[in-house]
């Protein structure tokens, strides 16, 4: 008969093996892109105070209507960063949802962008400038600063803007 003790290594033997074994190199963190999308509805008027009424009409056409017009926007925020080895995530998507609620949904959804969002008091509310506004708003959160990769704004099914902080 073999004894249970002799069939197992002693803790001293294990410690010696661990101390003399070659060290495993830490795995390089894998970089991943994650995205979350939200939809919001807003009204706006494309109009520049730097231009005459005639120039505004010529450049912006029907989008310069004094009564404004609306869109059902789709915004996608993409983050890029290392997968945390403990959580398996770049960022918890629940947190990204919360940041997008604060910066996009609470600020832009069911609003007249030109009237209700102070940023646009003297900035033309083009899709390009709305994407920049969303980027800048998200960058207010320290947790997102090293991760924010792209804001994509679909104004219509045919018109989209991508902004990457450049």
């Amino acid at each position: 008969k073999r004894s249970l003790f002799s069939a197992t290594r002693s803790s001293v033997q294990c410690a010696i093996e661990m101390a003399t074994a070659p060290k495993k190199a830490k795995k390089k963190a894998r970089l991943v892109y994650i995205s979350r999308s939200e939809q919001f509805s807003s009204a706006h008027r494309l109009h520049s105070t730097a231009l005459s009424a005639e120039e505004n009409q010529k450049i912006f056409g029907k989008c310069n209507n004094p009564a404004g017009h609306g869109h059902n926007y789709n915004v996608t925020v993409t983050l890029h960063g290392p997968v945390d080895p403990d959580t398996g995530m770049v960022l918890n998507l629940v947190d990204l949802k919360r940041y997008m609620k604060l910066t996009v949904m609470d600020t832009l959804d069911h609003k007249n962008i030109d009237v209700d969002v102070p940023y646009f008091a003297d900035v033309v509310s083009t899709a390009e400038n709305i994407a920049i506004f969303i980027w800048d708003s998200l960058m207010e959160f320290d947790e997102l600063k090293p991760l924010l990769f792209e804001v994509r704004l679909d104004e219509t099914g045919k018109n989209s803007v991508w902004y990457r902080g450049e």
Side-chain angles (χ1 to χ4, degrees):
K1 285 185 172 180
R2 292 171 36 168
S3 77
L4 183 61
F5 182 77
S6 64
T8 60
R9 297 180 312 191
S10 73
S11 58
V12 172
Q13 288 171 317
C14 287
I16 292 169
E17 287 172 12
M18 288 176 62
T20 58
K23 302 287 185 216
K24 289 185 180 179
K26 280 190 174 182
K27 285 186 177 181
K28 184 178 176 185
R30 301 287 181 110
L31 297 177
V32 174
Y33 296 86
I34 63 170
S35 297
R36 179 166 175 85
S37 297
E38 294 286 351
Q39 294 178 341
F40 66 96
S41 300
S42 295
H44 72 141
R45 175 187 185 204
L46 295 183
H47 184 84
S48 172
T49 56
L51 302 173
S52 69
E54 295 78 24
E55 289 171 312
N56 273 292
Q57 182 58 44
K58 182 179 178 186
I59 293 169
F60 300 121
K62 67 181 181 178
C63 296
N64 183 246
N65 180 341
H69 64 281
H71 296 283
N72 294 316
Y73 293 93
N74 188 65
V75 60
T76 302
V77 173
T78 301
L79 306 180
H80 179 243
V83 175
D84 183 286
D86 296 326
T87 65
M89 297 182 281
V90 173
L91 179 81
N92 191 324
L93 287 172
V94 172
D95 294 334
L96 182 55
K97 177 182 177 181
R98 183 173 42 88
Y99 292 132
M100 290 178 73
K101 180 183 182 311
L102 293 169
T103 59
V104 177
M105 303 307 290
D106 292 350
T107 306
L108 299 172
D109 192 31
H110 288 85
K111 301 287 176 38
N112 182 327
I113 293 173
D114 304 313
V115 174
D116 299 326
V117 183
Y119 178 90
F120 292 100
D122 53 5
V123 173
V124 182
S125 56
T126 59
E128 295 91 333
N129 283 329
I130 295 169
I132 291 168
F133 169 77
I134 293 169
W135 175 280
D136 290 348
S137 298
L138 289 167
M139 288 298 282
E140 295 289 320
F141 298 100
D142 289 338
E143 188 175 21
L144 295 181
K145 286 180 182 179
L147 301 175
L148 190 55
F149 175 74
E150 178 180 271
V151 171
R152 175 183 171 156
L153 183 69
D154 299 319
E155 185 176 56
T156 69
K158 296 180 180 182
N159 300 335
S160 300
V161 173
W162 289 264
Y163 183 65
R164 294 184 177 163
E166 302 165 336

